[in-house]
Amino acid sequence: ARFRQHRGAPMQTLLSPSIMLRTAGVAIARGVGFRRTGVLAHRRDGVQCARVIRPMASAASSSTETAAPKTADLKDAAGKDISGSGIRRRFLEFYEQRGHARLPSSSLVPEDPTVLLTIAGMLQFKPVFMGQAERAVPCATTTQKCVRTNDIENVGVTARHHTFFEMLGNFSFGDYFKKEAIQYAWELATKEYGLDETRIYVSVFREDDEAYAIWRDVVGVPEERIKRLDEADNFWAAGPTGPCGPCSELYWDFHPERGAEGADLEDDSRFIEFYNLVFMEMNRDASGKTAPLKNKNIDTGMGLERMAQILQGKPNNYETDLIRPIIDKAASMAGISYDDADDATKLKLKVIGDHTRAVAYLVSDGVLPSNVGRGYIVRRLLRRVVRCGRLLGVKAPEGAEAFTPAIAEVAVGMSGDCDPEVANRARKIYEEFEREELRFAKTLGRGEEILADMIAAAKAKDAEAPKLSGDDAFTLYDTYGFPLDITADVATEEGVAVDVDGFEDAMEVARTLSRDARVTVDVTAGDLLATIADELGESTRFTGYGSLVEQSVTVRAIVRAGERVDSAGAGETVDVVLDATPFYAEGGGQVGDEGEIQLANGVVLSVRDCRKAAGGRVFVHVCEVVGDSSSGNKPSVSVGDAVTAAVNAESRRRAKANHTATHLLQSALKRVVGEDVSQAGSLVNTERLRFDFNAPAGPTPAQLEEIEALVNGWIGDATDLVAREMPIAEAKSRGATAMFGEKYGDVVRVVDVPGVSMELCGGTHVANTAEIGGFKIVSEAGIAAGVRRIEAVSGPGVVELLNQREGVVRELAGALRVPPEEIAGRVTSLMDDLRAAQKEAEALRGEVAAAKSAALAADAIVASNGSRVLVARLDGVDPAALKSAAESLLAKLAGEAGEAGAAVVLGSGSADGKVGLVAIFDDEVQSAGGLKAGAVLGAAAKACGGGGGGKP
């Protein structure tokens, strides 16, 4: 869990978000009414800081303003800003002044399919580091928002663990290298941030004599403060193969009085790493051999929260101005003071502060609470906030049902310098906080009761080492929405362990939850195609916007089964790279084109798909070699062959009609459902279109009709589309819609349906809306919490759908022997007759069951207190009749027992293996024995593989 990467492993511990400090810090004034009363002072640990006084927060200070909380001016002895915002700004400006381009943070939803969330600053540059994309700038600097949840149980427990954190970084893409990176890091730490250089230690890889010499001879760090470490600590590798190289880290020394002799950088009580430098200088092949990289790169990371803790003199990251205002807001709403709180209370406040930040940024990037993938991370974090808040007694503001939105307002107000879009999406963020809190509140109370019973049972079973079973933990998750984290928190507070392995086994069997995010950044995929792109030099030229056929193009490369080959024969499936192509490569939700690649000798390559590789530099055609072999020559294709590439015109026509219809659908949704509707995904193929969007509730039937009418109206308007490229800043200023999580270049393609829709899109589209032909919604449904899906057809697909439905209507009309317009009335009449017959049959079955059960009354036993108890089997009876029989028996036995009461449990088995169970306890039995019919029946039902419900 340390900040430093264990270099022999993948990046699963890279850039941990927080640090541990052992020194006491000075207080910081924040909030309305706070007043700075001190002067500049020197801390004992060598950091110059401002001495200020922070009075105890008032419980009445529960403002819900969305502006960033006001803080005292945080200045060091030189008058430099040491607030979190100031530290971030100074880092970025430092590198901008040294020729780095300041680039924005990428989304928390990465393009990289190997990771669930953005976990490192380098992730957005992975294609450049891999050679899969050309660099846009020679060097860059960023502040990257990151989320990691692999050690969520340590949030608030240690001084350094977070889920959300900001990673400051500077990157060189074949520009400067080791010497400059080291000099920059030292200058930033000692000159810009003013750290005492005698308190900084550095580490290098044991074999990296070059870095050692730079630190010693160029920077001037004494040898006793330079430590050589092994691969586990100071060597970074992307994976088994790919870029790799040594690292160097900077550490802060909390206890210089202990001296340099024998100093151990692993000693957390003395040292903390605050800046790491990765020197990507080698490439490792499958045999393990390394060779120098053609372009050597620099990847660095500095945790903003760590540097704020050091410069602001705080004992932990949570008390810096990056998180403390959120904590203070929660504390004020609970009527308590963080400074006066005990450790358990502080822990809960820290969890609220950390998780609120994470959820606000995740929701802003389009991740909504659900039970799968990224959505589950949001749900588990937000539900931990809710539970901690309830335990602390956090109250919702007057007139509000939920308390979390008011706390989220503080996080949103502080987000501007990291991601301005968070404030723009504030309303959506607050709505999701409120919705999830209220949803959880409905099951929280009952779930806590069940958990308390489970914990008591575990203690009774094994008083010395009580343990909650994995099945019980899964039941709480599946039935009551308790994330495992909450179950473990409550159990730990009661001294009970949780069978986590058993829980995970139950989850696997149920297949209701995707596996945890992989925190390894795999940068090895696509090596071969990236190498091919490097060798070819020029990217594939796409000509498909204006033409479906391209003649005299050249086969540049052939890949078969992952290996590069010179030729391929009949029946073989290969990937083919051409120098130019009219085939659209899959992207933006649209599938790749189908068609043919034709050779002059009659050989044909049937193109099944087309996709981009090497960061979009090459188009890969997935083909099968076919052709006429009657001449005796085996059909084949070779590198260098001149070919004609032809897209299937009908498939393209259908795909582009569906794609333009998708744009119109999104505009219609925004007009009918609300402007805050945002795209969550799409699929456009030749058969139909699918559009996923974020919305708390689905459109009503009337709204769906209105949406259809709008789209068909726009189609009928026969509007010409305008597609052109422009700078992304201009596109956004014109109001073009971009999709959350998509990464765009400096120049983008904008598809405009004037007066209707304007989107950033690289897909293919009709020239005029009339070409779409028609639009019809096939279905609308929820696919996850807060995410809806519409499936629809357009053009020929509408005719095909209508023909299919017309066939069904004709078949029904014939079977019912009525005209088509009378089908609905006839079906209604038949259903009424069926219900009447079923009701009559049910009554008869009940009478039969009651008659059968009358003889069972004699089998009842008499308990010591006089209660009558009957447990019997009555096969061949449906659940309703079984319930009727049980009620009849209870009435009879209760009459015999008098005030002692009665209890009846009946079971029924059927030939198809189904089991029915009914339990009825009267009030006297429940009061005397403390028994509940539901609890007794639940255990029996579970043994049968089922469940149950009803009154106690």
Side-chain angles (χ1 to χ4, degrees), residues 258-280:
R258 297 180 185 176
E261 185 176 354
D264 181 6
L265 298 181
E266 294 287 340
D267 183 358
D268 284 341
S269 69
R270 177 175 180 180
F271 294 105
I272 186 67
E273 179 194 348
F274 64 88
Y275 202 1
N276 75 334
L277 317 175
V278 178
F279 310 126
M280 295 187 193

Side-chain angles (χ1 to χ4, degrees), residues 453-467:
D453 291 342
M454 291 177 174
I455 289 174
K459 290 181 176 180
K461 183 178 181 180
D462 187 346
E464 294 185 1
K467 192 170 189 177

Side-chain angles (χ1 to χ4, degrees), residues 53 119 229 525 586 807 856 866:
I53 302 210
I119 57 168
L229 300 179
E586 179 180 355
L856 296 176

